[in-house]
Amino acid sequence: MSKLRVLLDTNIFLVSLASNYSYHWIYQSLIENKFELVVSNEILTEYQEQISIRYGIELTDASLDYLLWLPNVILKNPSYLWQLVENDKDDNKFVDCYVASQADFIISNDRHLHQIKNNQFPPIAVLNYSEFEAEYKLNITSQP
């Protein structure tokens, strides 16, 4: 069975960095090569902006430099823009990267992304944090 391939919404990624948050297992699992994370240049830019606002520029540079060295982080810049999220155009970068990378899920607690998860074409699989935690644990226990 192959590893889960996911995109992490910026807010999910941000809280996963903090060791005192319940989401931190996501970042730890990423570092331990337990799933694949797909990012685009546009997603990385947003990560960097938001991390620097929340945690400071030094941590931002260190986190993103290290992130790009991980063998399970896939840089995929989409060549087609689907524009499926109408209520928050900024979220389209996750959908476009998801389709281009053939990822399994977008992990987000953002209601705008959840509004398109019933899209017929292309199909979009969006999980909130709790759903992802359950799916991740199921995937990990089923691996040899």
Side-chain angles (χ1 to χ4, degrees):
M1 175 175 256
S2 61
K3 290 180 189 164
L4 284 177
R5 180 177 285 190
V6 302
L7 283 92
L8 298 175
D9 184 317
T10 305
N11 289 325
I12 299 283
F13 182 74
L14 277 177
V15 293
S16 79
L17 293 175
S19 59
N20 58 332
Y21 277 61
S22 62
Y23 288 39
H24 188 61
W25 67 267
I26 297 172
Y27 188 67
Q28 283 303 122
S29 296
L30 177 65
I31 291 170
E32 294 167 6
N33 197 13
K34 300 217 173 152
F35 68 89
E36 294 178 332
L37 174 67
V38 183
V39 294
S40 65
N41 286 334
E42 197 175 359
I43 291 170
L44 284 173
T45 300
E46 184 170 293
Y47 282 2
Q48 185 173 22
E49 288 170 0
Q50 293 304 313
I51 292 169
S52 65
I53 290 168
R54 183 175 283 191
Y55 299 117
I57 195 70
E58 297 80 21
L59 180 61
T60 302
D61 291 342
S63 294
L64 294 180
D65 286 348
Y66 180 68
L67 192 66
L68 291 172
W69 284 98
L70 294 174
N72 54 322
V73 173
I74 300 163
L75 182 63
K76 183 69 176 175
N77 289 305
S79 57
Y80 187 80
L81 306 178
W82 290 90
Q83 300 299 312
L84 297 176
V85 184
E86 294 178 11
N87 296 334
D88 189 351
K89 299 277 186 203
D90 200 40
D91 287 337
N92 280 304
K93 67 178 145 292
F94 295 100
V95 174
D96 298 339
C97 189
Y98 167 87
V99 174
S101 67
Q102 299 177 331
D104 295 306
F105 303 106
I106 298 173
I107 314 307
S108 176
N109 290 333
D110 185 323
R111 63 183 170 85
H112 298 114
L113 283 170
H114 283 271
Q115 288 173 345
I116 64 159
K117 68 181 177 183
N118 295 322
N119 197 57
Q120 295 298 312
F121 186 82
I124 310 293
V126 182
L127 299 177
N128 64 31
Y129 168 75
S130 300
E131 293 166 332
F132 174 59
E133 185 176 28
E135 180 70 31
Y136 174 82
K137 288 178 179 175
L138 178 69
N139 190 274
I140 290 300
T141 57
S142 67
Q143 287 184 0

